[in-house]
């Protein structure tokens, strides 16, 4: 059995949860999903629509708000009681915080940033990028492991849904609130306009082809017309033309929107690693040999300063 750890906040599931459940379904074997929190009924009922064997509501007042100690204590107890094979988690900021401690407490290997899992010679192999995404490596563990899955690596729309809701079982987590060392404050925001691009459905991203900082406003206009978020390749953020929270790629955010519109982005491997999971990729570049066209569903060879205003006019008309 594969145990998937869902991520939710205030009853709202992180969409990466669906991607991780889909990855577990594709890996083979029965799937159980655990939802942690103080009030998990709504999130658990939503997860139960997936084709899974069971949903576990792991509840305790000490699990809201999130703390590393609380989650590690609760999950270690669930793993000990349920004895799953591998444990799959979405590769989110929250998971990155507690997964190493959970791996130590449960004595399991931790494999991070996976893009797939497959069976070979009777054992499960985890596929993860190495050398900044230039290669993919198969990682085998001697025993059951914890594995985090890169956002956008598995499309959420490949999720199999059940003919009927999966059974839901409630587990009262025994957590001593006094033993939790962390005292969480309000959720941290890096900057006033910081954005989580991994949750965006549409993204307009700009690269070196935008030429100068003043021209970024054109991409902002297009994003506004599309109801999209604005992203960028590393050179744009390194130059200070857009804040670092807008960077997409191996050293930035990993995204998987329904539409990704790349303006003047050549398509270096470091950038492709962060956006190749998009459902539809549209690229505009004046260089017909740009690598971005190798992954694009639709490519336009031309001057973005002529094409983008025309698109904006059509969208606003």
């Amino acid at each position: 059995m594969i145990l998937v750890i869902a991520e939710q906040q205030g009853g709202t599931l992180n969409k990466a949860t669906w991607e991780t459940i889909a990855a577990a379904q594709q890996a083979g074997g029965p799937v159980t999903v655990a939802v942690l929190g103080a009030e998990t009924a709504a999130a658990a009922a939503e997860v139960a629509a997936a084709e899974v064997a069971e949903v576990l509501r792991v509840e305790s007042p000490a699990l809201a708000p999130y703390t590393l100690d609380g989650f590690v204590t609760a999950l270690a107890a669930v793993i000990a009681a349920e004895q799953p094979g591998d444990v799959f988690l979405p590769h989110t900021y929250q998971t990155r915080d507690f997964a190493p401690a959970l791996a130590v407490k449960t004595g399991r290997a931790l494999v991070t940033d996976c893009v797939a899992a497959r069976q070979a010679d009777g054992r499960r192999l985890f596929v993860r990028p190495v050398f900044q995404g230039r290669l993919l490596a198969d990682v085998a563990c001697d025993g059951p492991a914890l594995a985090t899955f890169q956002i956008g690596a598995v499309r959420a729309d490949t999720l199999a849904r059940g003919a009927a809701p999966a059974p839901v079982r409630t587990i009262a987590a025994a957590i001593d609130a006094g033993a939790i060392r962390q005292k969480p404050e309000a959720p941290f925001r890096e900057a006033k306009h910081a954005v989580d691009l991994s949750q965006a459905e549409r993204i307009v991203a700009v690269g070196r082809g935008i030429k100068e900082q003043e021209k970024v406003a054109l991409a902002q206009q297009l994003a506004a017309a599309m109801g999209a978020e604005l992203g960028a390749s590393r050179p744009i953020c390194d130059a200070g033309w857009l804040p670092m929270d807008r960077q997409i790629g191996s050293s930035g955010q990993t995204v998987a929107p329904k539409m990704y519109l790349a303006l003047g982005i050549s398509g270096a491997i470091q950038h492709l690693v962060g956006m190749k999971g998009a459902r539809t990729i549209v690229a505009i570049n004046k260089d017909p040999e740009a690598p971005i066209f190798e992954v694009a569903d639709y490519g336009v060879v031309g001057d973005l300063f002529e094409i983008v205003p025309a698109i904006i006019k059509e969208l606003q008309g």
Side-chain angles (χ1 to χ4, degrees), residues 35-58:
V35 184
L36 280 70
E39 295 290 339
T40 60
E46 190 175 352
V47 169
E51 189 177 285
V52 296
E54 188 178 25
V55 178
L56 305 178
R57 291 177 55 193
V58 185

Side-chain angles (χ1 to χ4, degrees), residues 90-144:
H91 192 77
T92 61
Y93 291 117
Q94 180 173 288
T95 293
R96 282 180 246 183
D97 185 45
F98 74 81
L102 180 61
V104 171
K105 192 171 183 67
T106 57
R108 291 175 174 235
L110 175 61
V111 187
T112 61
D113 218 26
C114 300
V115 296
R118 63 186 183 86
Q119 294 290 133
D121 299 325
R123 65 192 312 187
R124 181 168 289 128
L125 300 178
F126 297 101
V127 184
R128 66 181 309 277
V130 293
F131 299 113
Q132 292 190 318
R134 289 181 173 83
L135 298 173
L136 292 176
D138 289 338
V139 179
C141 301
D142 290 335

Side-chain angles (χ1 to χ4, degrees), residues 91-310:
H91 192 77
T92 61
Y93 291 117
Q94 180 173 288
T95 293
R96 282 180 246 183
D97 185 45
F98 74 81
L102 180 61
V104 171
K105 192 171 183 67
T106 57
R108 291 175 174 235
L110 175 61
V111 187
T112 61
D113 218 26
C114 300
V115 296
R118 63 186 183 86
Q119 294 290 133
D121 299 325
R123 65 192 312 187
R124 181 168 289 128
L125 300 178
F126 297 101
V127 184
R128 66 181 309 277
V130 293
F131 299 113
Q132 292 190 318
R134 289 181 173 83
L135 298 173
L136 292 176
D138 289 338
V139 179
C141 301
D142 290 335
L146 302 180
T148 70
F149 282 78
Q150 188 181 102
I151 294 173
V154 180
R155 285 171 48 172
D157 59 7
T158 63
L159 178 86
R161 296 187 175 271
V168 178
R169 174 161 53 100
T170 301
I171 297 175
I175 301 174
D176 179 5
I180 295 178
R181 296 167 293 176
Q182 299 83 29
K183 305 299 179 186
E185 298 180 354
F188 174 73
R189 294 291 182 267
E190 183 177 353
K192 184 177 179 181
H193 299 293
V195 62
D196 183 2
L197 294 178
S198 68
Q199 304 299 309
E201 292 197 351
R202 291 175 294 279
I203 293 175
V204 173
V206 294
R208 294 174 192 250
I210 205 70
K211 294 185 178 179
E212 56 189 60
Q213 186 172 7
E214 290 70 22
K215 299 293 179 63
V216 174
L218 182 64
Q220 291 174 323
Q221 293 174 28
L222 178 57
M226 291 176 56
E229 292 287 354
L230 185 64
S233 61
R234 179 171 179 172
I236 299 300
C237 296
D238 282 348
W241 295 1
L242 282 173
M244 297 303 295
D245 62 293
R246 298 282 176 175
Q247 182 180 325
I248 296 168
S250 59
S251 55
Q253 296 197 49
T254 300
V255 300
K258 290 182 179 178
M259 172 173 282
Y260 189 89
L261 180 52
L263 305 179
I265 292 177
S266 62
I269 184 64
Q270 292 87 349
H271 184 76
L272 298 183
V273 165
M275 47 68 71
K276 63 184 179 182
R279 186 178 305 179
T280 301
I281 300 172
V282 180
I284 301 175
N285 199 298
K286 65 180 181 181
D287 179 8
E289 302 299 323
I292 190 71
F293 289 128
E294 296 179 9
V295 299
D297 298 288
Y298 301 94
V300 181
V301 178
D303 187 344
L304 70 87
F305 300 109
E306 295 178 0
I307 297 168
V308 171

